[in-house]
Each structure stands twice: as structure tokens, then as C-alpha cells.
């Protein structure tokens, strides 16, 4: 399911124009970007939590060349599914 | 920072951003993630523009795989965006990296504080012992020094003027004075050291008043020491001049020239030299002073210094006639010999001597006044 399908399904459910839904999705993405950029985590009940996590620098070995690489530290956005979602997916 | 944003707060932020009501945004967010949940439960992969891709893995421990959108991932990783992956050289071993990490962590250890505290105690103890040991050592050294001064003539060094064939008595007197001055200085130094020790020991016992008093005393002693040093340093050459009835010179180059003649060797060779000095009759006529012409030091100034009158420059000129040439064009840096006053019967009290010098000046100027 890509973005177009989601917009269409939401427009149908909410009875609104797809443009409005696209604008809301863009706004939601901007909000997540802003909040998670400040290292805040966002909890959506029944779905899960978006959480930025800082990873330290690490050394990995490139299997093809055998050379070691020093990877810099980074902040990545992780998603932890809620218990309800986990149960729904494991059924 | 590190806050947990609730559903309501998210809806508020979104409504503030889009301009819609909070109920609308709440409904929107709820419906959006319901659709995503349903799609994931059906095993589908969902991609939301600007947020990322959700995929069902089928693994119970990690049922959903989330891949954030590139823009979102870059925005979140902004603080470390400047770093790039680096290929490590073969020279860099894991042990080296671990050592560097452990070195960085070492300063945080609390053990150092206890070590430092024990070290402070040790140093205070050792300081007190050292201070107690130091006093007798210094006294011994000063005693030895004075004895050496009395027994052996020290080599004349750092003197501004040098005298050739100076009688031994005068030399010894000269150095006796030197030893006196030195012992005075050592005495003042010792007294300041005692006071320093008093400061150290009295600090824990006494209050603020005694600390201030000791500090004041210390400053006073330092000040007195400075004044004494200045007086000794400024008046010492003149004392020597008075004692030896000979003027001092300020030339450093002449010192190096006469060093080879004057330098009295120490210890084993002292006897032979003193015997030679004794064998020579201490005739004052043989005293020679060497001086240097400067930009502010002329024959007249030297004459006033050595003979008391400027007019007697003529005899200095006469003594160095070959070197000097035109008396009005003497080059600075020229080394000259100051003849003793007795050689030319110089006497500033005697008007005949002064008149003779004036005539001599006319004679000297005569060839250059053409």
C-alpha cells in the first residue's frame, strides 16, 4: 500500500478531499520530524511509539573487501509497535 | 528533549501546524494508523510519504520493520551529519582503540582524589622534614663559604674594573668586604626562610589575624631585602674605589682583556701567584686603568671622574695619543689607558697643575686648528 492508496482510503473514511488528507499527512510528517529531531518520542495509542535513539560509533568489517570501517555515531528513528498491534499481527 | 509526546500533544501540534481543529486532527491520526495497522495485519507493506515504510516481518519479537523516510532520517541525524564512515588502517589495532578509550575514562576515576589527598599529606610531612633539614645545611654552606673566602683568594669575576698589579692587601680587603656583604645577604635570606617556615607552621594554628601579620612581615622582609640589595649593588664599586684610592672603570671589554693578567687561580696554584704578587713592589705608579670611550663618555668626563677636574683630559690624551688622533674626533668604543695621577703630577687643588694642563690642551689643539 503506497501513499496514494492511503490518501484515498482516508479521504473516503473521513469524507474529505484527498488534497486535505495529503496536507495533513505532510503536516504529521513535519511534526514527527520536529519532535523527534529534539530527541522526543511520540506515542500513538494502539499503534506504537516513534523513538529517536543515539547509537555510538562502531567498527564494522566489510565482508567483501575485509577492510574495517569506523562508522560514526548517529541518531536513528525506531518504531516500537504497541502491544495491541503486536497481538493483532501475531494472530 | 527526551520527552514523551502523547497523542493529544501530537494532535495539538498538528492542528497548530495545519490550522484545523484538534478533533479533526485526532480523528485523522487515529484513522491513519488504523489503516496502517490493518494493512500490516494483512501482511502488506505500507509507505507513508514523509514518514517512512512499515513492513510486517512475521517475527513475533519484532513484528514490524520501520524504515524512516530519508528526509526524516536526515533531519533526526542532523547533529552527526558531518561525520562519515572511515576506513581504518591496518596499523590501528583494537587494543589501541580500547587503550585510547580507557585513557579518556581514567580522569573520571575517584581514586585519584584519594591519591591526591594522601600525596598532599605526604608533601606536607616531607616539606616539614625538608625545612628542618634545610636550615643546618645552609648554615654549613655559609660557614664553608666564608672560610673559603678567608683562606683562598677567589678569582675576581664580574668586576667592572680591573687593576693590574694591585697589592695583595688591597685585594684581600676587597674580598673581605665581599664576603661581609655576601654573609649579610645569606643572613637575610636565611631570616626570610625562617619566616616562611613560620608562616607554614603557624597557618593551621593561628587565625586570620596572624596570617595577615605574617604576610605583612614577609612582604616587609622582601622589601627590606630589595632595598639592601639595591644599596649594596649601587654603592659597592664606590666603596672599593675609596678603599683602594683607585677609580673604577665600567668597560666590559677591558675586563676580558685584563682577565688573563689579573685572574688569580684557585686552590693549588694560589701560593705561587701570591708569591709573585708579593715579590713585586706595590708601586702606585704602575697602576693602570683601562676605560672605553662611549657616546656619552668622553675624555673630559673620565678626567673629572678620575682626577676631579675636566681639564686633566689632556694627560689621558697624551697617554693614548697614538690611538686617538684628533681630540675632537675620537671614536666611541676606543679603549684607552688612564694614567695614574702621580705620573703627570695631577692635582686639582694645585692651580699650577691646572694651568699646565690648559697649556697642554693648547699644544694638543694646535696641530688641528689649521
Amino acid at each position: 500500500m503506497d501513499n496514494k492508496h492511503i490518501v484515498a482510503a482516508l479521504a473516503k473514511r473521513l469524507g474529505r478531499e484527498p488534497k486535505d488528507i495529503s496536507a495533513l499527512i505532510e503536516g504529521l510528517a513535519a511534526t514527527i520530524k520536529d519532535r523527534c529531531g529534539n530527541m522526543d518520542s511520540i506515542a500513538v495509542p494502539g499503534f506504537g511509539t516513534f523513538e529517536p535513539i543515539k547509537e555510538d560509533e562502531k567498527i564494522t568489517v566489510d565482508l567483501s573487501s575485509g577492510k574495517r570501517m569506523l562508522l560514526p555515531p548517529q541518531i536513528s528513528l525506531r518504531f516500537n509497535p504497541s502491544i495491541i498491534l503486536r497481538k493483532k499481527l501475531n494472530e | 528533549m527526551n520527552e514523551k509526546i502523547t497523542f493529544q500533544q501530537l494532535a495539538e501540534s498538528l492542528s497548530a501546524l495545519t490550522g484545523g481543529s484538534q478533533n479533526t486532527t485526532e480523528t485523522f491520526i487515529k484513522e491513519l494508523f488504523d489503516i496502517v495497522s490493518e494493512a500490516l495485519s494483512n501482511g502488506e507493506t505500507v509507505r507513508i510519504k514523509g514518514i517512512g515504510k512499515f513492513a510486517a516481518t512475521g517475527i513475533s519479537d519484532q513484528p514490524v520493520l520501520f524504515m524512516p523516510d530519508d528526509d526524516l532520517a536526515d533531519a533526526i541525524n542532523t547533529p552527526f551529519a558531518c561525520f562519515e564512515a572511515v576506513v581504518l588502517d591496518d596499523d590501528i589495532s583494537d587494543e589501541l582503540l580500547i587503550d585510547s578509550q580507557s585513557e579518556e575514562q581514567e580522569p573520571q576515576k575517584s581514586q585519584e582524589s584519594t591519591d591526591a589527598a594522601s600525596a598532599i599529606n605526604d608533601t606536607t610531612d616531607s616539606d616539614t622534614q625538608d625545612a628542618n633539614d634545610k636550615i643546618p645545611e645552609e648554615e654549613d654552606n655559609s660557614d664553608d663559604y666564608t672560610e673559603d673566602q678567608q683562606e683562598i683568594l677567589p678569582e675576581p669575576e664580574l668586576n667592572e674594573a680591573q687593576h693590574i698589579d694591585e697589592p695583595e692587601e688591597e685585594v684581600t680587603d676587597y674580598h673581605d668586604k665581599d664576603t661581609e656583604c655576601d654573609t649579610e645577604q645569606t643572613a637575610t635570606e636565611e631570616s626570610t626562610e625562617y619566616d616562611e617556615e613560620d608562616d607554614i607552621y603557624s597557618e593551621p594554628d593561628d587565625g586570620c589575624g596572624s596570617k595577615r601579620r605574617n604576610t605583612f612581615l614577609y612582604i616587609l622582609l622582601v622589601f627590606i631585602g630589595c632595598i639592601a640589595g639595591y644599596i649594596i649593588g649601587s654603592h659597592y664599586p664606590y666603596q672599593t674605589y675609596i678603599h683602594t684610592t683607585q677609580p673604577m672603570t665600567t668597560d666590559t671589554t677591558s675586563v676580558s682583556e685584563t682577565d688573563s693578567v689579573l685572574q688569580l687561580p684557585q686552590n693549588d696554584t694560589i701560593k705561587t701567584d701570591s708569591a709573585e704578587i708579593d715579590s713585586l713592589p706595590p708601586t702606585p705608579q704602575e697602576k693602570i686603568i683601562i676605560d672605553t670611550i662611549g657616546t656619552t663618555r668622553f675624555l673630559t668626563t673620565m678626567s673629572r671622574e678620575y682626577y676631579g677636574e675636566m681639564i686633566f683630559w689632556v694627560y689621558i690624551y697624551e697617554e693614548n695619543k697614538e690611538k686617538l688622533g684628533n681630540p675632537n674626533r675620537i671614536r666611541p668604543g676606543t679603549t684607552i689607558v688612564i694614567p695614574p695621577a702621580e705620573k703627570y703630577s695631577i692635582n686639582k687643588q694645585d692651580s699650577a697643575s691646572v694651568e699646565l694642563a690648559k697649556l697642554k690642551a693648547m699644544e694638543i689643539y694646535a696641530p688641528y686648528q689649521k
Side-chain angles (χ1 to χ4, degrees), chain B residues 39-101:
Chain B
L40 288 171
S41 62
N42 293 332
E44 292 181 40
T45 301
V46 181
R47 183 180 173 276
I48 305 171
K49 189 181 177 184
I51 295 174
K53 191 165 75 174
F54 297 89
T57 58
I59 303 166
S60 59
D61 292 340
Q62 193 179 359
V64 179
L65 182 68
F66 172 65
M67 296 286 288
D69 197 77
D70 289 343
D71 289 343
L72 182 60
D74 290 344
I76 289 165
N77 195 38
T78 305
F80 298 110
C82 56
F83 296 111
E84 288 181 358
V86 179
V87 178
L88 290 175
D89 293 333
D90 295 334
D91 300 338
I92 300 169
S93 63
D94 293 338
E95 292 174 357
L96 198 68
L97 292 168
I98 291 164
D99 288 344
S100 63
Q101 285 176 357

Side-chain angles (χ1 to χ4, degrees), chain B residues 163-205:
Chain B
H163 303 272
I164 296 169
D165 297 330
E166 200 169 329
E168 194 179 351
E169 270 187 21
E170 290 177 2
V171 174
T172 50
D173 289 339
Y174 174 85
H175 288 293
D176 284 340
K177 284 205 167 193
D178 192 11
T179 53
E180 281 171 15
C181 294
D182 287 335
T183 48
E184 280 175 15
Q185 284 179 351
T186 50
T188 52
E189 282 172 10
E190 282 172 11
S191 65
T192 51
E193 281 170 9
Y194 285 127
D195 289 320
E196 281 175 10
E197 286 164 16
D198 289 339
D199 287 343
I200 292 163
Y201 294 129
S202 61
E203 272 178 5
D205 298 332

Side-chain angles (χ1 to χ4, degrees), chain B residues 234-255:
Chain B
S234 59
H235 290 283
Y236 187 68
Y238 299 105
Q239 288 173 359
T240 313
Y241 169 72
I242 292 160
H243 184 75
T244 58
T245 64
Q246 275 192 342
M248 305 290 289
T249 58
T250 56
D251 181 35
T252 52
T253 56
S254 63
V255 170

Side-chain angles (χ1 to χ4, degrees), chain A residues 1 16 40-41 68 70 75, chain B residues 3 5 24 45 77 86 92:
Chain A
M1 185 181 271
R16 299 182 66 170
D40 294 332
S41 57
R68 293 178 304 156
L70 177 63
I75 302 169
Chain B
E3 289 178 10
I5 307 299
T24 309
T45 301
N77 195 38
V86 179
I92 300 169

